[in-house]
Amino acid sequence: DAGVIQSPRHEVTEMGQEVTLRCKPISGHDYLFWYRQTMMRGLELLIYFNNNVPIDDSGMPEDRFSAKMPNASFSTLKIQPSEPRDSAVYFCASSLYLADYLNTQYFGPGTRLTVL
Amino acid sequence: GESVGLHLPTLSVQEGDNSIINCAYSNSASDYFIWYKQESGKGPQFIIDIRSNMDKRQGQRVTVLLNKTVKHLSLQIAATQPGDSAVYFCAEKQRGSTLGRLYFGRGTQLTVWP
């Protein structure tokens, strides 16, 4: 299996521009997660989906961030407008199944976003 | 909410020695814990997990110990190898949170010297 695929791997943009990050989960996985990683705040869960439906978006920073999952094999995280403080590595992860004591997430390689 | 923290930000060991990475958590309602390994330029990778009703769990060359009395978690790596060099995170699931929500600690950088 190819694992979780993210694109682009690197993105440099200017403040105010729209940024779209893409993710393809592992085939057959019902859960998809978006994380943000910074030195200051560490790894934070932004949102996760189950069967394409958003379950918990309490980590989404503000209205400038939006995430969609139009089908089981594709998700996007959009930032509009982008700001320098959004600079971070964004990870997508997927999981086949979740339970109270089962939470094995497979992470993609990440997208390093720099907003100038 | 309360967050997971770490005792040491860096740890250097010699190849072949055993490594112990520590993690403190403050939420007594946490009932499930996971250790992740993140190599440079890659996403985190699941290592081992433990439920709150267990004190110890062993995997291949790794052991996780949980002390609920002092809210402390540790990851022991036996016969540490250069390939073990990475940042190690502990993560917790807090009772009452949604099923998929994990709270990650800040990480410990493990460096293995030949």
Side-chain angles (χ1 to χ4, degrees), chain B residues 6 22 24 47 59 64 69 74-75 77 83 91 106 110:
Chain B
L6 291 171
N22 296 304
I47 301 174
V64 56
T69 303
S74 69
L75 177 71
I77 305 173
R106 301 306 298 273
L110 173 66

Side-chain angles (χ1 to χ4, degrees), chain A residues 24-93:
Chain A
K24 176 178 168 56
I26 294 173
S27 178
H29 282 195
D30 289 338
Y31 292 85
L32 184 139
F33 306 80
W34 281 102
Y35 287 88
R36 178 173 65 178
Q37 186 175 42
T38 62
M39 288 297 294
M40 290 294 294
R41 300 175 66 88
L43 191 61
E44 302 173 284
L45 176 67
L46 300 177
I47 185 172
Y48 78 93
F49 297 82
N50 178 25
N51 292 325
N52 313 335
V53 176
I55 302 300
D56 182 345
D57 65 355
S58 59
M60 293 287 267
E62 50 199 271
D63 291 345
R64 297 185 298 107
F65 286 68
S66 63
K68 294 182 180 179
M69 192 164 186
N71 57 64
S73 59
F74 182 67
S75 177
T76 60
L77 178 68
K78 187 174 294 186
I79 308 173
Q80 167 63 18
S82 58
E83 296 182 3
R85 61 192 169 119
D86 301 330
S87 297
V89 180
Y90 291 82
F91 288 102
C92 177

